[in-house]
Amino acid sequence: MHKFSIRVFGCQMNSYDGDRLRTAMMHQKWQEVPDGEADVVILVTCSIREKAEQKVASEIGRYDAVYKKKKSPAVVLVGCMAQRIGREMAKKFSCVRLVSGPRHLGLVPQAVTEISAETPPRFFMDDDPRALLDLDVVPTARTNPFKAYVTITYGCDRFCSYCIVPYVRGRLQSRAAADILKETRTLIDGGVKEITLLGQNVDAYGKDLNNGYGFASLLRDVANQPGLTRLRFATSHPKDFDEDILAVMRERADICRAINLPVQAGSDRILREMNRGYTSGQYLALVDRIREALPDVSLTTDLIVGFPGETEEDFRASYELLQEVKFDIVHTAAYSPREGTRAAMMEGQIDNRVKAARLNEINALQAQVARSANEGYVGAEFEILADGPAPRGEGKIQGRTMTDKVVIIPGSEEDFGRLIPVRIVRASHWSLEGERI
Ligand code: SAH
Ligand code: SF4
Ligand code: F3S
């Protein structure tokens, strides 16, 4: 039994965990294969919305049908959904042989080698939200050789009323700066050009350590490591994003001019019910300060429609906020009740049809905003970091600008990992096409 497959769902933190698990499995001489040939399928899962969990549950059902006949593949369930409903899944599906919460990944690689159809399934749950037995592995076996993620904080302490993350990822815990810097050094030495520092709220980095070393300090220290071309980070929280971070970004041209600053809603009443800790006025003032300090910055956001009690007027406030700020990208979602969160018990849950209509309206607005912004780039010149084949089209590759815009240009594999100067020749809603200068 030496063949595994790994499938990653959910956010970038899961991609990082998936890359580290893959690396750890390879260190113990297991071979990665397509899931149809695997003895063990590792699923790195997400619980953010009901749909995310349903998708994985139906995949497990599919593996289970095969497992019942062949006693293979065994399913290893890790990540947020494993923490939330892993026990249930193991009861329902006999293929689930190992379940681990996000804070016990360090135990997984060894336990995978001990999986057997004869012994009961094993569980490493994060029952204590502060416990941490992490994998001590640098993700060298990545899906992308030039780009790497590095998680800098575990968990989240903000408890937004709709969000499951604090329940499944536990309390905020910052990684020691020395460990992070050692990892980024190894990655850069291994050929990585672009690093993205990850956390549910990167701006909270260090707040639990109380040693005066916060996110701005970490950002400066990583940027100062020789050999790194670009440094990104996600996600920022409007309440914690501060002047020190802006100052470091201004100092260092290699820190990307792209900030994901989730607003979630435009109505102050809804923001209060969400427990976000800011008003729309404070959010807009922050946007002004950021744009003043970094005029070429790209701003993206996340927005939820159909939060409990959201009236037509509340929804209009979100709509108008998007019209006013004109974000580069808006990740929109219809509110999905998550069991155990405060919002799931609130009165005034919104009908699914209303949510869908509001989602459509917001997406149509953003398509317009994105299109006219992109059209404004035609003729402009950028340097892109080429990082892979374009999703469609022979002989085309894609790369990203410093502001995280995707640009498609003619090219080949040899270009991957290189900085290429381009001129934009065409624009659509979601991407830009360029030519080499
Ligand atoms: N830490 C980040 C985002 C984490 S989750 C922040 O504070 O913004 C990613 C996104 O999923 C959120 O920004 C939110 O827009 C969405 N999301 C979270 N819980 C949700 C829920 N219950 N229903 C719908 N969308 C949700
Ligand atoms: Fe969830 Fe809020 Fe934490 Fe983001 S800040 S992960 S939305 S609780
Ligand atoms: Fe999903 Fe967990 Fe990330 S719920 S969005 S995988 S932190």
Side-chain angles (χ1 to χ4, degrees):
M1 202 160 97
H2 285 301
K3 291 184 178 155
F4 77 101
S5 180
I6 185 159
R7 297 179 62 191
V8 177
F9 303 83
C11 65
Q12 295 166 325
M13 299 182 84
N14 271 5
S15 299
Y16 174 71
D17 289 345
D19 284 344
R20 287 188 307 152
L21 278 171
R22 174 187 298 107
T23 308
M25 294 306 293
M26 289 170 133
H27 284 169
Q28 44 187 44
K29 306 278 176 256
W30 280 53
Q31 185 193 355
E32 190 178 14
V33 295
D35 63 343
E37 301 160 29
D39 308 305
V40 170
V41 177
I42 304 172
L43 302 177
V44 189
T45 62
C46 173
S47 286
I48 204 76
R49 286 177 285 274
E50 196 182 357
K51 250 206 231 134
E53 290 188 343
Q54 281 167 348
K55 192 155 110 198
V56 171
S58 86
E59 289 298 292
I60 300 175
R62 205 167 59 82
Y63 293 123
D64 204 50
V66 182
Y67 184 86
K68 283 207 175 84
K69 287 186 213 128
K70 305 203 301 194
K71 287 277 173 265
S72 170
V75 168
V76 174
L77 198 59
V78 305
C80 296
M81 175 182 172
Q83 175 61 25
R84 205 181 81 80
I85 51 170
R87 285 190 189 276
E88 242 171 79
M89 289 289 119
K91 228 178 246 161
K92 193 161 161 200
F93 299 111
S94 53
C95 66
V96 175
R97 308 309 301 160
L98 177 62
V99 178
S100 170
R103 295 171 86 108
H104 278 85
L105 287 188
L107 300 178
V108 170
Q110 167 72 28
V112 170
T113 65
E114 296 161 5
I115 287 176
S116 130
E118 277 72 52
T119 53
R122 288 174 79 184
F123 298 92
F124 305 134
M125 307 312 278
D126 306 345
D127 293 329
D128 171 0
R130 291 176 198 279
L132 186 62
L133 271 164
D134 199 20
L135 266 171
D136 187 16
V137 171
V138 180
T140 48
R142 291 180 311 277
T143 25
N144 188 313
F146 312 108
K147 297 210 269 193
Y149 296 125
V150 175
T151 289
I152 61 167
T153 58
Y154 305 99
C156 181
D157 281 353
R158 292 218 71 97
F159 285 94
C160 301
S161 63
Y162 50 83
C163 184
I164 196 71
V165 170
Y167 301 91
V168 288
R169 291 255 171 185
R171 293 293 66 73
L172 175 78
Q173 189 168 335
S174 301
R175 278 180 78 190
D179 292 347
I180 298 169
L181 290 165
K182 203 169 124 208
E183 181 161 332
T184 52
R185 185 71 258 159
T186 307
L187 290 167
I188 299 164
D189 291 342
V192 166
K193 304 279 183 221
E194 176 182 307
I195 288 176
T196 305
L197 303 178
L198 294 180
Q200 284 304 340
N201 171 4
V202 284
D203 315 320
Y205 177 81
K207 294 205 167 159
D208 54 324
L209 301 176
N210 274 324
N211 58 7
Y213 188 95
F215 183 57
S217 314
L218 180 68
L219 206 52
R220 184 181 286 112
D221 285 347
V222 177
N224 276 336
Q225 287 183 314
L228 184 63
T229 308
R230 287 179 175 183
L231 179 57
R232 297 186 189 281
F233 56 88
T235 299
S236 288
H237 193 292
K239 179 118 174 138
D240 293 319
F241 190 90
D242 60 31
E243 295 295 334
D244 295 351
I245 302 170
L246 272 183
V248 178
M249 291 181 78
R250 250 202 329 248
E251 247 168 59
R252 305 287 321 215
D254 45 3
I255 302 177
C256 290
R257 267 66 184 130
I259 302 174
N260 182 225
L261 196 66
V263 66
Q264 309 298 4
S267 144
D268 287 343
R269 192 180 64 82
I270 296 292
L271 284 171
R272 208 165 42 240
E273 292 290 310
M274 287 177 160
N275 192 31
R276 288 293 289 179
Y278 53 84
T279 61
S280 61
Q282 286 166 331
Y283 184 90
L284 292 171
L286 177 59
V287 166
D288 284 345
R289 279 215 309 286
I290 293 174
R291 285 183 166 162
E292 212 173 285
L294 306 165
D296 56 344
V297 74
S298 128
L299 282 178
T300 58
T301 202
D302 298 5
L303 185 98
I304 297 175
V305 300
F307 183 84
E310 184 185 71
T311 62
E312 191 56 34
E313 199 187 334
D314 293 324
F315 171 67
R316 276 306 129 208
S318 291
Y319 191 93
E320 280 158 18
L321 188 135
L322 296 203
Q323 271 180 322
E324 182 173 345
V325 178
K326 295 194 178 18
F327 293 100
D328 289 85
I329 297 173
V330 181
H331 306 108
T332 54
Y335 168 72
S336 168
R338 309 280 57 215
E339 201 187 326
T341 61
R342 211 152 52 71
M345 289 167 300
M346 286 179 186
E347 305 208 344
Q349 299 286 328
I350 306 287
D351 188 87
N352 282 337
R353 274 168 308 184
V354 175
K355 284 185 205 169
R358 289 180 183 171
L359 199 58
N360 278 338
E361 211 179 319
I362 285 278
N363 288 341
L365 166 68
Q366 186 53 30
Q368 251 178 32
V369 172
R371 175 169 210 132
S372 68
N374 279 352
E375 278 165 358
Y377 288 121
V378 173
E381 294 174 3
F382 297 103
E383 199 168 45
I384 63 166
L385 181 65
D387 61 31
R392 273 185 297 270
E394 286 266 309
K396 286 188 179 169
I397 60 165
Q398 72 170 36
R400 281 175 190 263
T401 66
M402 278 298 262
T403 54
D404 212 22
K405 296 225 159 274
V406 176
V407 181
I408 295 171
I409 60 164
S412 68
E413 230 169 87
E414 281 167 22
D415 297 312
F416 298 168
R418 292 202 181 134
L419 284 173
I420 302 174
V422 301
R423 182 180 301 110
I424 307 302
V425 291
R426 238 184 320 279
S428 74
H429 284 71
W430 313 121
S431 66
L432 301 168
E433 280 181 60
E435 62 185 14
R436 285 162 197 259
I437 306 174

